[in-house]
């Protein structure tokens, strides 16, 4: 629901604000006052196209801000959540057009592209006018309206769910079929690669161990020389080896400790270092003895590492990844080897998924046809009262070229505005006024369900009463009021019969001082409504008679009907007596 709109420097509007509530709100005023400009501004906020020409003369930019309450608007909720925009049940659309034609758009303060703003705007505002876009001419919107009116939510969800399952199984089948095309060649290649890897019989960590051993064997001379030097320095020195020197130091420390106990801890440290030294030298001696030349071992290590590296290069992986590669190839081989059995299972699952999808589509199609028949009858009946006697509305539910997530149906709204004319697509109705009234009939018929009423955007009717008058105009007004009792509706009108049915009334006035012109908005009080309706009835000079008529039109329907009945009863005796007074004497 639109709750507030603020406009600055747009066309001939300098600055206006308007608070709006639920129900039917009408906009009236003299021709050229700017009633439709307000609709244009709302369209701009909702993502409509505009250029520098909309900026008020002399201003730097035009700005429109529209606030919507969206607690029950599931489509708007979904869009905002998808864009990660916080809303707390309220959505503010803001559009700025610079004098150079550049445009900026914002949603709840967040910068947004105009295209994205338009997507959101379509969930918030639905304009029905002679020159504006209408959602009802889109096939997707026609399908959604029929499903919402028929309360097909569960059936639509079932179709969507079975379609997703069917699509997943189809993708699995396609992948398996693609694999089956070169299955034999691939199996042969996998057998070769696996036999090569199995013959290698690689162990976990073996490559790293052999690489370290190769380095050790290739540097044997330097390693042996280093080990010999360490042994000589620590144990075999000609003068005093490190081991001998530490042994003597330990003996001295023990003797001194007999004189002073403080030396006991020092002697312990020296003893520990001697033990560590001896263990280190023993380890170096063992390492030296293991460095005996083994040309055959070195040759075997080189050959095995070369084989590993060659296979790794062939598969473009590291040597350390060969075991993982072997596992992957083995898994692929088993999958392809059992592909025929898998294909049979996939085909069986595909057949089951197709049956479930077809059954879900059939249920939805039956429900759509029933809802289409009922809704078509209701809309056709409403058209008879809206200045289109003999008009016929038809919702065509036919098989689509291809079934999809929305079912197996093609939905199209067809209409014949005049007797004898074949029904044509709603989008091709020639008369803008007829299209507006047909749209009104559709909305009134569809809004009877709570689900449909809750999901509706703010409905805007721009001169929906064009080309009608008298009793038809009053019926248009009544239908708009009926619509307003279930959903928010705004209507630009020139007819007092329509304006008198509104829940709220806004007068649009054009003011000028001879140099500049601006538009002002004013929400009318009860007395002001009488004056405005009288102006619409009587023209330039508003008479008391016109005011009485206006007050009568604004009186609630039950009170009006009672007043008419009382007036009729009062006049009835006079009408009955009149013929008796004029009765001619009988002939003799």
């Amino acid at each position: 629901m639109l709750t507030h709109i603020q406009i600055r420097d747009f066309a001939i509007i300098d600055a206006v604000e308007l608070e709006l509530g639920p129900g039917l709100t009408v906009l009236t005023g003299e021709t050229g006052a700017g009633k439709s400009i307000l609709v244009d501004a709302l369209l701009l906020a909702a993502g409509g196209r505009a250029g520098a020409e909309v900026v008020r003369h002399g201003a730097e930019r035009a700005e429109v801000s529209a606030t919507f309450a969206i607690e029950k608007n599931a489509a708007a909720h979904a869009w905002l959540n998808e864009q990660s925009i916080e809303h707390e049940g309220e959505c503010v659309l803001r559009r700025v057009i610079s004098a150079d034609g550049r445009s900026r758009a914002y949603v709840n303060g967040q910068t947004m592209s105009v295209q994205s703003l338009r997507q959101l705007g379509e969930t918030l505002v639905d304009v029905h006018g002679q020159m504006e876009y209408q959602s009802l001419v889109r096939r997707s919107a026609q399908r959604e309206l029929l499903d919402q009116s028929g309360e097909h939510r569960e059936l639509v969800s079932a179709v969507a769910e079975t379609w997703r399952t069917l699509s997943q199984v189809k993708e699995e089948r396609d992948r398996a079929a693609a694999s089956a095309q070169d299955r034999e060649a691939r199996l042969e290649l996998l057998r070769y690669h696996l036999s090569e890897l199995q013959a290698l019989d690689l162990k976990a960590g073996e490559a790293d161990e052999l690489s370290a051993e190769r380095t050790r064997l290739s540097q044997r001379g330097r390693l042996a020389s280093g080990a010999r030097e360490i042994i000589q320095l620590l144990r075999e020195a000609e003068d005093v080896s490190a081991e001998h020197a530490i042994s003597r130091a330990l003996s001295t420390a023990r003797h001194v400790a007999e004189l002073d106990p403080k030396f006991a801890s020092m002697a312990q440290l020296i003893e520990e270092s001697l033990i560590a030294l001896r263990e280190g030298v023993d380890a170096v001696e063992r390492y030296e003895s293991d460095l005996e030349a083994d040309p055959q071992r070195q040759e075997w290590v080189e050959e095995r590492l070369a084989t590993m590296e060659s296979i790794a290069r062939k598969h473009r992986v590291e040597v350390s990844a060969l075991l993982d590669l072997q596992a992957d190839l083995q898994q692929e081989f088993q999958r392809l080897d059992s592909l025929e059995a898998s294909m049979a299972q996939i085909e069986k699952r595909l057949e089951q998924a197709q049956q479930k999808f077809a059954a879900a589509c059939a249920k939805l199609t039956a429900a759509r046809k029933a809802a289409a028949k009922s809704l078509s009858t209701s809309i056709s009946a409403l058209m008879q009262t809206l200045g289109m006697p003999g008009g016929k509305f038809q919702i065509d539910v036919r098989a689509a070229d291809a079934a999809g997530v929305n079912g197996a149906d093609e939905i199209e709204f067809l209409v014949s505005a005049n007797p004898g004319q074949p029904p044509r697509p709603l989008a091709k109705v020639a008369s803008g006024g007829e299209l507006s009234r047909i749209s009104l009939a559709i909305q009134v018929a569809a809004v009877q369900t709570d689900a449909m009423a809750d999901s509706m955007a703010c409905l805007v009717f721009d001169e929906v009463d064009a080309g009608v008058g008298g009793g038809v105009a009053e019926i248009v007004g009544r239908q708009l009021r009926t619509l307003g009792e279930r959903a928010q509706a705004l209507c630009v009108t020139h007819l007092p019969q329509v304006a008198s049915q509104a829940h709220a009334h806004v007068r649009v006035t054009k003011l000028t001082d001879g140099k500049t012109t601006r538009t002002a908005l004013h929400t009318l009080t009860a007395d002001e409504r009488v004056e405005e309706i009288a102006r619409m009835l009587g023209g330039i000079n508003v008479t008391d008679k016109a005011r009485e008529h206006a007050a009568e039109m604004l009186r609630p329907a039950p009170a009006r009907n009672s007043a008419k009945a009382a007036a009729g009863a009062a006049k009835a005796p006079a009408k009955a007596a009149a013929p008796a007074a004029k009765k001619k004497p009988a002939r003799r």
Side-chain angles (χ1 to χ4, degrees), residues 166 169-170 173 346-354:
L166 177 60
V169 179
K170 280 183 176 179
R173 190 273 311 273
I346 293 172
E347 289 293 346
K348 185 176 180 180
R349 285 169 50 211
L350 181 60
E351 183 179 356
Q352 293 173 344
Q354 287 173 333

Side-chain angles (χ1 to χ4, degrees), residues 412-541:
E412 187 172 26
F413 287 3
L414 305 174
V415 65
S416 171
N418 300 295
Q421 291 183 346
R424 292 186 300 153
L426 183 64
K428 296 182 179 180
V429 174
S431 167
E434 287 178 344
L435 178 57
S436 296
R437 277 177 277 139
I438 292 168
S439 298
L440 172 60
I442 293 171
Q443 299 292 3
V444 170
V447 80
Q448 300 308 312
T449 64
D450 291 336
M452 188 66 189
D454 290 343
S455 65
M456 272 192 168
C458 172
L459 301 170
V460 181
F461 293 90
D462 189 6
E463 299 191 16
V464 66
D465 49 22
V468 299
V472 173
E474 184 174 352
I475 293 171
V476 169
R478 289 179 183 176
Q479 297 297 351
L480 282 167
R481 185 178 180 87
T482 299
L483 183 61
E485 288 170 354
R486 303 279 293 178
Q488 186 186 42
L490 306 181
C491 180
V492 176
T493 182
H494 288 284
L495 297 180
Q497 296 97 321
V498 174
S500 64
Q501 298 291 333
H503 297 96
H505 193 151
V506 177
R507 183 172 58 207
V508 184
T509 309
K510 182 164 64 175
L511 306 174
T512 181
D513 58 4
K515 296 180 181 179
T516 60
T517 302
R518 62 187 181 88
T519 292
L521 303 179
H522 177 60
T523 301
L524 302 181
T525 64
D527 291 340
E528 289 171 334
R529 285 193 72 186
V530 171
E531 198 68 21
E532 176 65 7
I533 298 296
R535 179 198 65 77
M536 299 173 74
L537 286 167
I540 298 175
N541 298 317

Side-chain angles (χ1 to χ4, degrees), residues 192-511:
Y192 170 73
H193 289 324
L194 285 171
S195 64
E196 192 175 43
L197 288 166
Q198 289 163 356
L200 184 62
D201 193 21
L202 186 63
K203 305 296 188 297
E206 182 184 0
D208 293 336
E209 293 175 2
L210 290 178
S211 181
E213 184 178 357
R214 177 171 64 182
T215 301
R216 187 167 63 251
L217 291 172
S218 64
Q219 301 295 327
R220 178 184 172 282
R222 292 179 61 186
L223 293 171
S225 175
R228 172 51 34 194
E229 183 176 356
I230 291 170
I231 294 170
Q232 288 177 348
L233 288 171
L234 299 179
R235 180 168 286 176
E236 298 177 357
E238 294 180 358
D239 43 3
V240 180
S241 67
E243 183 179 4
H244 181 65
I246 294 174
S247 295
R248 289 182 59 185
L250 176 61
S251 179
T252 302
R254 284 173 175 170
H255 283 94
V256 175
E258 294 176 358
L259 302 176
D260 186 351
K262 291 183 178 180
F263 264 97
S265 60
M266 302 177 197
Q268 184 178 355
L269 292 173
I270 295 172
E271 184 178 9
E272 290 174 355
S273 65
L274 178 61
I275 293 171
L277 174 65
R278 285 172 176 168
E279 290 178 351
V281 174
D282 289 344
V284 173
E285 287 179 338
R286 288 194 299 273
Y287 182 83
E288 182 186 31
S289 65
D290 290 341
L291 284 175
E292 295 295 330
D294 188 353
Q296 292 181 347
R297 175 67 182 179
Q298 184 172 359
E299 182 180 354
W300 180 85
V301 168
E302 292 289 354
E303 287 179 356
R304 183 154 178 80
L305 283 173
T307 302
M308 292 180 188
E309 291 165 356
S310 174
I311 294 175
R313 282 195 302 271
K314 182 189 298 183
H315 294 279
R316 298 181 181 179
V317 297
E318 298 292 332
V319 172
S320 58
L322 284 176
L323 281 175
D324 291 337
L325 173 66
Q326 184 175 350
D328 292 342
L329 294 180
Q330 185 67 44
Q331 185 177 6
E332 184 182 358
F333 181 86
Q334 292 173 350
R335 181 176 62 81
L336 288 176
D337 195 38
S338 61
L339 185 60
E340 290 182 1
S342 298
M343 279 294 292
Q345 293 176 352
I346 293 172
E347 289 293 346
K348 185 176 180 180
R349 285 169 50 211
L350 181 60
E351 183 179 356
Q352 293 173 344
Q354 287 173 333
Q355 290 174 352
K356 288 182 179 180
F357 176 65
C361 286
K363 288 182 180 179
L364 180 57
T365 297
R368 280 173 170 169
K369 287 182 176 179
K373 183 178 180 180
S374 175
L375 192 58
S376 297
T377 301
S378 298
I379 295 171
S380 295
L382 285 167
M383 287 174 61
Q384 312 308 307
T385 67
L386 294 174
M388 290 173 281
K392 183 180 179 182
F393 189 86
Q394 176 182 327
I395 300 178
D396 191 9
V397 181
R398 57 180 179 270
D401 293 336
V405 68
N406 295 310
D409 308 310
E410 186 78 26
I411 311 296
E412 187 172 26
F413 287 3
L414 305 174
V415 65
S416 171
N418 300 295
Q421 291 183 346
R424 292 186 300 153
L426 183 64
K428 296 182 179 180
V429 174
S431 167
E434 287 178 344
L435 178 57
S436 296
R437 277 177 277 139
I438 292 168
S439 298
L440 172 60
I442 293 171
Q443 299 292 3
V444 170
V447 80
Q448 300 308 312
T449 64
D450 291 336
M452 188 66 189
D454 290 343
S455 65
M456 272 192 168
C458 172
L459 301 170
V460 181
F461 293 90
D462 189 6
E463 299 191 16
V464 66
D465 49 22
V468 299
V472 173
E474 184 174 352
I475 293 171
V476 169
R478 289 179 183 176
Q479 297 297 351
L480 282 167
R481 185 178 180 87
T482 299
L483 183 61
E485 288 170 354
R486 303 279 293 178
Q488 186 186 42
L490 306 181
C491 180
V492 176
T493 182
H494 288 284
L495 297 180
Q497 296 97 321
V498 174
S500 64
Q501 298 291 333
H503 297 96
H505 193 151
V506 177
R507 183 172 58 207
V508 184
T509 309
K510 182 164 64 175
L511 306 174

Side-chain angles (χ1 to χ4, degrees), residues 5-16 32-65 95-99 103 132 508 510 517-521:
I5 184 167
Q6 183 179 42
I7 307 170
R8 293 185 182 278
D9 296 321
F10 181 84
I12 61 173
I13 297 175
D14 56 353
V16 298
K35 300 183 296 299
S36 292
I37 293 176
L38 187 66
V39 176
D40 294 339
L42 182 57
L43 281 174
L44 180 69
R49 294 182 179 180
E53 69 279 357
V54 304
V55 181
R56 189 168 182 265
H57 179 68
E60 294 181 358
R61 62 180 179 271
E63 182 175 336
V64 182
S65 178
R95 189 80 179 277
V96 179
I97 306 291
S98 301
S103 171
E132 307 297 345
V508 184
K510 182 164 64 175
T517 302
R518 62 187 181 88
T519 292
L521 303 179

